[in-house]
Amino acid sequence: MEGIPHPIPRTVEEVFSDFRGRRAGLIKALTADVEKFYQQCDPEKENLCLYGLPNETWEVNLPVEEVPPELPEPALGINFARDGMQEKDWLSLVAVHSDSWLLAVAFYFGARFGFGKNERKRLFQMINELPTIFEVVTGNVKQPKDQSATHNNSSKNKSSGKSRQSESQTKGLKMSPPPKEDDESGEDEEEDDEQGATCGACGDNYGADEFWICCDICERWFHGKCVKITPAKAEHIKQYKCPSCSSKRVRV
């Protein structure tokens, strides 16, 4: 139950910022914080909803009591399905409903503040640049065709280590997809930056100035800060498992 203590977005940029913050919170719940989220969705409790908040946090709570609600409500009763299906299928189902809810909230703001055709189109284009929560949770983030060769080549160069630092690289550590060759046009490089690797926890694009680590099980990449792994800690990890893969191992 949210209560909206946050400023109400009124422009396309503000609505997109609100969307991105809520999305980051939901992705954390379904990836980095999946164990905590799983425990909070007790089937013995009443109908529960998963809320993403604009400050990139999340909460599992009862739906709002006011009718109609101030904002569109997320899927009701996600906890009831938790023990009736495989965990990965349940998380995927929650992810799909979360994607739908995010779009509903964004376009609710658009309708409330009179966005015209061009503003709605621009908002959707900005949203569409980001992978869906379902794609992040399932690891099915689709790369454009011109990216496939780059990713295939980089995978051959991955060694048995894990992580990536932007400047000085340590041998034996997994590398993120390398940048295109210098002879390519600036336009292609800009497109690569926008559509390259994404963090499996927060969904943000790869940044050259950030430390990344790759899960040896699902082969998804994560910001070190999102999974609480530092470069020094990564040096002593022989096989890294992300929070999602670790939790699956525990309950299987």
Side-chain angles (χ1 to χ4, degrees), residues 107 116-126:
F107 282 89
K117 177 180 178 181
N118 291 335
E119 291 171 310
R120 293 194 302 271
K121 181 179 180 181
R122 184 154 61 93
L123 175 60
F124 181 77
Q125 287 175 335
M126 295 169 74

Side-chain angles (χ1 to χ4, degrees), residues 9-195:
R10 297 174 182 272
T11 67
V12 172
E13 288 71 22
E14 289 174 345
V15 171
F16 178 65
S17 178
D18 180 271
F19 174 95
R20 190 167 51 188
R22 294 177 189 274
R23 173 181 173 275
L26 292 169
I27 289 175
K28 286 179 183 177
L30 299 174
T31 55
D33 296 345
V34 67
E35 187 69 29
K36 180 179 177 182
F37 170 65
Y38 186 92
Q39 293 173 355
Q40 289 189 19
C41 291
D42 186 349
E44 298 300 321
K45 295 182 179 180
E46 298 182 47
N47 289 298
L48 295 175
C49 300
L50 171 62
Y51 293 90
L53 305 181
N55 61 357
E56 300 187 6
T57 60
W58 60 273
E59 66 175 7
V60 172
N61 214 328
L62 295 170
V64 297
E65 295 180 357
E66 62 179 314
V67 178
E70 178 66 21
L71 290 178
E73 283 289 291
L76 181 67
I78 58 172
N79 51 314
F80 295 146
R82 191 195 74 176
D83 295 342
M85 54 199 310
Q86 293 290 327
E87 181 185 344
K88 66 177 182 179
D89 295 331
W90 176 66
L91 292 174
S92 298
L93 179 63
V94 175
V96 169
H97 282 291
S98 297
D99 281 318
S100 301
W101 176 66
L102 284 178
L103 289 172
V105 171
F107 282 89
Y108 163 82
F109 285 130
R112 179 175 176 181
F113 296 108
F115 286 5
K117 177 180 178 181
N118 291 335
E119 291 171 310
R120 293 194 302 271
K121 181 179 180 181
R122 184 154 61 93
L123 175 60
F124 181 77
Q125 287 175 335
M126 295 169 74
I127 291 173
N128 205 36
E129 287 297 316
L130 299 173
T132 65
I133 298 176
F134 175 80
E135 289 174 331
V136 173
V137 170
T138 60
N140 292 329
V141 179
K142 295 180 179 179
Q143 300 292 340
K145 292 183 179 179
D146 59 355
Q147 293 285 317
S148 59
T150 301
H151 282 274
N152 289 338
N153 290 336
S154 68
S155 63
K156 294 178 182 178
N157 296 327
K158 290 179 181 177
S159 51
S160 60
K162 320 293 174 294
S163 53
R164 181 189 197 283
Q165 284 179 292
S166 55
E167 298 298 333
S168 57
Q169 302 293 343
T170 304
K171 288 186 178 181
L173 300 183
K174 272 191 177 179
M175 304 290 289
S176 289
K180 291 283 187 179
E181 298 296 330
D182 293 338
D183 60 348
E184 293 195 7
S185 67
E187 182 178 351
D188 289 341
E189 291 177 358
E190 182 178 351
E191 182 178 345
D192 290 342
D193 290 339
E194 295 175 354
Q195 300 181 352

